[in-house]
Amino acid sequence: MRNKGKISAGHNQMRWVILLLVIAVVLPTVCLLWFMSQTVKNERLAIRQKLIDIYTAKLPNSFANYCNDYWGNIENKLIKNIDEYEDNLKIFPEKYIEQYEDFSAFVIYEQGKITYPIFEHNTPVLSDRVCDVWKLEYVDRNFQEAIKQYEFIGSTSSIMEVVYECKFAIVRCLSKQGELAQAIAQCELLAYQDANETVNLPPKQIALAGLMLVNLYGRTNNENLLAELEYQLSNSAKLVFPTETKMFVLGKLIALAAEVELSDKLKSQIENAERIINCQKIALAASGLFESSMPEKTFRNIPKIKSLYGISFRLYNGDVLGLVTSEKMSQFWQETVEINEDEIVFCRVADGLGLRIDSKTSSEQPFLSFNPSGFFPDWKIEVYFRQGVFAAATRQQQVVYFWIAILVIVFMTLLVIFSARAILRQAKMNRLKNDFIATVTHELKTPLSSMRVLVDTILQGNYEEEKTATEYMKLISKENARLSRLIDNFLTFSRMERNKQAFNLIKIAPAKIAESAVEAMRTKFNNENCRFNVAIDENLPFVLADKDAMITVLVNLLDNAYKYSYDDKQIELKVFGDEAGVCFSVKDNGIGMTRRQMRKIFDRFYQADSSLARSVEGTGLGLSIVKFIIDAHKGKIEVESKPGKGSEFRVVIPICKD
Ligand code: ADP
C-alpha cells in the first residue's frame, strides 16, 4: 500500500512537471503569436500611414498639373481658333468640331445675345397673293396655272422672301406635273446661281435648292446623283444659315445618301454632317440654359442636362461656352486617373453635382478626397486603397514571422521534450537506484547472515560429527561464492556505469571458457532437482575474448536458468560453431518469458514481474552486464522463450582470425 501511495504521488508530481513544461511551451507560443500578429497589424498601420502621406503629398498636385496642362492647351488652341474667326464667330463652332474632338458643341454669346446656334429671327409673312396660289397648287392641283401665277408674282414682288418662295414653288409644281427634266433645270439654276440670275439667293435658300436638286436627281436616277450629294453635303455644311434649317437640310441629305452606294468621300461627309447636327442639337439644348454669369474657365454641369458639362471663356465682346458630353468627360477622367493610379491606389471622380463619372465601386472609405484646382474646382477626386494592398505589403514580413514562430515553437517543444525526458530519466534513475540499494542490501544480507549462523555453529561446536562440520564449511563456501559473484556483478556494473570497464581480449579456446563457467556452477547445480548437460563441440576455433568476462556471461546465464526453473530443472550448456562465430547456448525448462518481458530483460534493473521472479534473489543487473560484455566482444545475444516452457539464451562471439 505504501508503495502504491508513493507511486501515485510520484505520478502526480510527474504530471505537474509535464503540465508546467507544456505551459512553458504554450504560454510563450501564445505570447509569440499574439506579439507577431500585433507587429504585423502595426506594420500595416505604419505602411498605411506612410502611403497616405505619400499620396496626399503627391496626388492633388499631380491631378491639378495634369488637368491644367491638358485643358490649358485646349484653351490656348480654342482661343487661337476663335481669334481666326473673330469677324464671323458663327462659323467657328462647326469648323472647330470638324478638326478637334475635345468639345462637342459651343454656344456663342456676343454683345448680349446668342449668335450660335443661329436662330431665325424674323420669319417672313408671305403675301395673300402667294397664299392664293398655294390654294391653286395644293387644293385645285392646277399646276399649269399655278406656275404662271408664281412667275408673275415672282417677277413683280419686291419682297425677297416672296421672290424665293415663287422660284421654289415653280420647281415644285413642275415636278408635281411630272415635268422632271424641266424641274431639274430650274432647280439647278437655283442651286448653282449663274451670273445672269438677278436674284442672289441667301445661303439658306441655296442649301434648300441643293436639297431639292438631290431629291430630283434621286427620283430620276440621274447619273450625277452621287456627285451632287457629295457637293451638297459639303456645301450645306459650310454655309452659315439658321441652325434648325441646317439640321433639317443635313438630316435630309443623310437620309437620301442612304439610298446610294456610299463612296469614301461621302462617308466622311456624312460623318461630318452628323457631327454638325449633333453639335447643333447640343448647342440648341444648352443655349436656353446659357448663363453668362457662369464662372469663367470652370467646368460645370449644364443645369437640367446632366450628361453635359460646360466651360465658359470670356471673349472681347461676349462669351463662348464649350460643351463636353459626359462620355467625353469620363474618357478624359479615365485617362487622367489612369496616369495617377497604380497597383496600390485607385481613384474615383465625382462632378460638381456629386455624380460619379466612373463605374468603379468600393465598399471602403476613401483615404484621400480633394478638389482638383484649376478647371474643376467643384469636382471631387477620391482615392482608395486597392484591396489586399496591405496584406501584400506585409506578406513577406508575415512569412518571416511565421517561420520564426514555427522555429521557436519547434525549438521550445524539442527543448521541453528533451527536458521532460531528462527529468523522467532522472526520476526513473533515482527510483531504480533506491530499488538497487534496497536489493543490494537484501542480497548481501542473506548470504552473510547464513554464513554467520554456520560459522557460529562451527565455532560453538554444535555439531555431532566431523562430516557435518565439513558440510557446513561447504555451505559457507557456496554462500561465499554467491557473495563473490554478486559483488563481481556489482563491480562490473559500477565500472560499466562509469565507462571504466576494460577488457583484456586474448585468443582463447571457447571450451576453456565453458569449462571454467561449468566449474563455477558445479556445486550449485549438483543436487537431485537439477539435471545439467554440457555439450562442447570438439575442434572449435579460437575466439578473441576476455576470459573472466565471458565466464561472468555464462555464469549469469546458467544462474538465471537455475533461478527461473521449477523444481525439476533441466539445464543444458552447448558450445558449437556457428557461421557468425562460436555460439554458447544456455537452455532451460523454466518459467519462460513473454515477448514483452523479452524486450526488456537487457535493461538495467529490470526484473519480470512474475511471482517466481520476486521470490528468487536477483538484482536485475545480470543480463544488462551480459549484454554489455557481449557488445564489447562485438558479438550478439539472442533469446528464445515461451512462458511455462523454458528459455534459451544464445551468445555468439566472433572467432579469432589470426
Ligand atoms: P536478475 O538478477 O533478476 O536475475 P537479470 O538481469 O539476470 O536479473 O534478469 C532479468 C530478468 O530476466 C529476470 O528478473 C527474469 O525475470 C528474466 N530472466 C532472465 N533469465 C531468465 C530465464 N532463463 N528464464 C526466465 N526468465 C529469465
Side-chain angles (χ1 to χ4, degrees), residues 556-557 560-564 588 590-593 597 601 603 606-610 613 616-624 641 646-647 649:
N556 266 305
L557 293 178
N560 279 352
Y562 188 90
K563 277 194 298 187
Y564 301 112
D588 64 59
I591 59 169
M593 288 168 280
Q597 289 168 340
I601 51 174
D603 292 350
Y606 176 78
Q607 290 184 294
D609 191 22
S610 78
V616 297
E617 74 241 8
T619 55
L621 283 177
L623 286 181
S624 65
S641 182
S647 316
F649 286 82

Side-chain angles (χ1 to χ4, degrees), residues 247-302:
M247 280 170 73
F248 167 77
V249 172
L250 290 175
K252 283 280 177 207
L253 285 172
I254 291 170
L256 286 168
E259 283 157 33
V260 301
E261 208 173 301
L262 298 180
S263 64
D264 284 346
K265 193 175 167 198
L266 196 58
K267 268 188 214 160
S268 79
Q269 283 173 336
I270 291 175
E271 267 171 36
N272 188 33
E274 278 169 347
R275 213 177 304 146
I276 292 173
I277 294 174
N278 189 45
C279 162
Q280 291 168 325
K281 234 190 250 172
I282 296 173
L284 278 177
S287 64
L289 306 164
F290 185 90
E291 290 167 18
S292 55
S293 61
M294 260 181 82
E296 201 195 3
K297 296 184 193 174
T298 300
F299 268 105
R300 288 282 158 87
N301 302 64
I302 295 295

Side-chain angles (χ1 to χ4, degrees), residues 328-430:
K328 274 191 187 162
M329 191 52 99
S330 62
Q331 217 172 311
F332 158 72
W333 278 114
Q334 210 168 314
E335 283 163 21
T336 316
V337 152
E338 257 166 36
I339 290 166
N340 289 290
E341 281 180 346
D342 53 24
E343 63 278 7
I344 298 172
V345 297
F346 71 91
C347 307
R348 301 183 68 191
V349 182
D351 64 18
L353 293 180
L355 299 170
R356 296 200 181 281
I357 63 163
D358 53 59
S359 53
K360 293 172 199 161
T361 51
S362 173
S363 52
E364 304 267 315
Q365 287 293 312
F367 70 89
L368 175 63
S369 148
F370 58 91
N371 304 107
S373 52
F375 293 95
F376 300 91
D378 314 335
W379 292 51
K380 201 154 116 194
I381 305 216
E382 292 174 341
V383 191
Y384 298 80
F385 283 119
R386 287 189 194 279
Q387 229 166 9
V389 162
F390 300 109
T394 49
R395 191 160 300 139
Q396 211 182 341
Q397 214 94 14
Q398 258 174 315
V399 171
V400 172
Y401 285 157
F402 174 79
W403 283 112
I404 290 176
I406 293 280
L407 282 179
V408 170
I409 292 166
V410 167
F411 176 73
M412 275 166 43
T413 313
L414 286 178
L415 204 72
V416 163
I417 290 173
F418 282 131
S419 319
R421 279 176 62 171
I423 291 171
L424 285 174
R425 203 180 307 130
Q426 197 55 43
K428 195 175 160 193
M429 277 311 282
N430 282 346

Side-chain angles (χ1 to χ4, degrees), residues 491-527:
L491 287 177
T492 316
F493 172 71
S494 161
R495 281 202 295 271
M496 209 168 92
E497 277 293 283
R498 286 178 286 131
N499 255 340
K500 285 272 170 69
Q501 178 71 10
F503 291 101
N504 179 23
L505 299 179
I506 52 162
K507 189 175 169 184
I508 187 169
K512 271 195 179 168
I513 300 169
E515 278 157 8
S516 301
V518 169
E519 200 44 52
M521 297 307 288
R522 192 166 297 284
T523 339
K524 186 167 189 171
F525 286 6
N526 198 6
N527 62 62

